[in-house]
Amino acid sequence: MAETKYEREEPIHLLILQSIYSRLMGGPLTCPALGAHWIDVGFNHPDPSIDITSAKMLGAICLLFFVTQPGSLAEDVFKLSTSSYKGFPFALVGLNFTRMLVRLVRKESLNRHFIRQKRLIYITMELYCAVWYKFYTVWKNNDPNVQDLTSVTTALEHDILLKPLSLLSQFQKSIKRSASGASSQKQSFIKAQLEAVRLLS
């Protein structure tokens, strides 16, 4: 996948991009292959194939994986990317993360961990989401703008290459906290419903 080039004439390639656009912007999977609408989701050109060249189809697949995960992280990240002050090019940043991960996976030390886990693809994708989580946390909780994007992503690449398992662990803990919070909210909602039924009976 890391070497597969985007082919506009390949239906599945276009469908992947259309699926990304649809998840972020809503609407059916019918947006044209070319047009300014791609800039709305963070590509730099009306022809997204120009931007995808840097990360190949793996970059598009990583983006699709991220935006289709349960929870609100991708939605929150995309919303932040469109803000007037803290905005950034969502798709371009995601493609850059893929390039970082490709360099990481080619390091033999991490490959040994992947081999032990026997889940190379899944762990790579999970780490991709972990990178987004770290970026979102830094971008949201500080006061950056698009001019700071290079310095922020450079610092993040340092963490990716030297402390990938730490990034993954932080992300997994955040998921557990979110799941616990959602469970508590659900239980509170159920209790409120039962109390309402008791008062009405």
Side-chain angles (χ1 to χ4, degrees):
M1 285 190 296
E3 299 300 327
T4 303
K5 296 180 180 179
Y6 175 77
E7 300 289 347
R8 197 185 306 139
E9 295 75 18
E10 178 63 45
I12 189 63
H13 289 188
L14 178 58
L15 181 60
I16 289 172
L17 292 189
Q18 289 173 325
S19 299
I20 294 169
Y21 184 89
S22 178
R23 292 288 297 197
L24 294 174
M25 303 295 289
L29 301 174
T30 55
C31 59
L34 302 175
H37 54 281
W38 294 112
I39 297 174
D40 295 337
V41 293
F43 287 99
N44 201 36
H45 299 87
D47 180 357
S49 66
I50 297 174
D51 300 314
I52 291 175
T53 300
S54 61
K56 308 283 193 310
M57 277 307 297
L58 180 60
I61 291 171
C62 286
L63 277 172
L64 180 61
F65 181 86
F66 179 58
V67 302
T68 54
Q69 290 306 290
S72 63
L73 178 59
E75 180 181 347
D76 293 340
V77 172
F78 182 65
K79 183 177 179 180
L80 183 64
S81 78
T82 61
S83 67
S84 57
Y85 179 68
K86 291 193 175 185
F88 57 87
F90 177 86
L92 289 183
V93 171
L95 294 173
N96 192 28
F97 290 163
T98 299
R99 292 197 301 271
M100 294 177 187
L101 287 178
V102 168
R103 288 195 289 271
L104 174 67
V105 170
R106 287 171 177 164
K107 291 178 63 176
E108 293 183 1
S109 58
L110 191 61
N111 285 349
R112 287 197 292 270
H113 175 76
F114 286 154
I115 291 170
R116 285 199 304 272
Q117 295 287 329
K118 297 182 180 180
R119 296 187 301 164
L120 174 60
I121 298 297
Y122 178 79
I123 291 180
T124 301
M125 291 298 181
E126 189 177 22
L127 186 54
Y128 179 80
C129 295
V131 173
W132 267 119
Y133 171 74
K134 176 70 172 184
F135 173 84
Y136 174 71
T137 302
V138 171
W139 201 261
K140 180 182 178 182
N141 294 334
N142 292 281
D143 196 30
N145 54 50
V146 71
Q147 283 75 30
D148 302 311
L149 191 57
T150 299
S151 60
V152 171
T153 54
T154 298
L156 184 55
E157 182 173 18
H158 179 270
D159 287 347
I160 292 170
L161 295 177
L162 297 182
K163 300 184 290 184
L165 299 184
S166 176
L167 283 176
L168 195 58
S169 176
Q170 291 173 18
F171 176 61
Q172 290 169 340
K173 288 178 181 177
S174 76
I175 291 176
K176 290 180 180 179
R177 287 196 300 269
S178 298
S180 176
S183 177
S184 297
Q185 289 179 353
K186 184 177 180 180
Q187 291 176 3
S188 297
F189 178 70
I190 292 174
K191 288 180 180 178
Q193 286 183 314
L194 292 174
E195 180 64 15
V197 170
R198 186 187 68 80
L199 292 173
L200 292 172
S201 60

